[in-house]
Amino acid sequence: MKAYQVYFFFLKAIELLQVVLTATDSKVKDSPLFAIVDTIFKISLGLFLGIYFWLFTPKGLDWEDGFIVSIGGFLILTEIEFDPLIELYHSRDTLIEALFKNGQSKSTA
């Protein structure tokens, strides 16, 4: 498989995971997994729409329409919510510190 095929398979898998989590009524919006999946999806879709329609306007589409779709892609990038990602980053630091303290206390005992 080519690299872009693996990436698109990965995107399909995480979107399927999001659909399953939503269908099972789990607290998806509060999940750090949702924040990661949502960010990856928005970056992928936003960059694809923004760059592709900006550089390669498809046949049958006026350049003005391609430009509008391109702007829409870049606007998707502005919709990324960074607060859950920052909280996830800070919880990562505390988890690493807790693991380090536990490993250090076991080695001294």
Side-chain angles (χ1 to χ4, degrees), residues 37-50:
V37 169
D38 190 50
T39 301
I40 290 172
F41 185 73
K42 285 181 180 177
I43 287 173
S44 299
L45 185 64
L47 286 178
F48 172 74
L49 290 175

Side-chain angles (χ1 to χ4, degrees), residues 32 35-36 39 80-94:
I36 293 170
T39 301
I80 296 174
E81 297 179 22
F82 291 103
D83 292 336
L85 296 174
I86 292 170
E87 290 175 17
L88 186 62
Y89 179 77
H90 289 304
S91 66
R92 179 194 65 95
D93 288 342
T94 57

Side-chain angles (χ1 to χ4, degrees), residues 39-101:
T39 301
I40 290 172
F41 185 73
K42 285 181 180 177
I43 287 173
S44 299
L45 185 64
L47 286 178
F48 172 74
L49 290 175
I51 294 171
Y52 182 78
F53 281 94
W54 182 24
L55 298 177
F56 311 107
T57 304
K59 291 181 182 178
L61 193 65
D62 292 332
W63 72 270
E64 296 94 351
D65 297 333
F67 187 70
I68 290 172
V69 172
S70 177
I71 290 173
F74 290 124
L75 285 176
I76 289 174
L77 295 175
T78 64
E79 292 293 317
I80 296 174
E81 297 179 22
F82 291 103
D83 292 336
L85 296 174
I86 292 170
E87 290 175 17
L88 186 62
Y89 179 77
H90 289 304
S91 66
R92 179 194 65 95
D93 288 342
T94 57
L95 178 65
I96 289 173
E97 288 174 6
L99 289 174
F100 182 71
K101 287 179 183 177

Side-chain angles (χ1 to χ4, degrees), residues 12-54:
K12 288 178 188 177
I14 60 176
E15 285 303 310
L16 181 63
L17 178 64
Q18 239 180 354
V19 168
V20 168
L21 288 174
T22 305
T24 58
D25 255 354
S26 60
K27 295 182 178 182
V28 178
K29 287 282 189 183
D30 300 330
S31 169
L33 180 63
F34 178 79
I36 293 170
V37 169
D38 190 50
T39 301
I40 290 172
F41 185 73
K42 285 181 180 177
I43 287 173
S44 299
L45 185 64
L47 286 178
F48 172 74
L49 290 175
I51 294 171
Y52 182 78
F53 281 94
W54 182 24

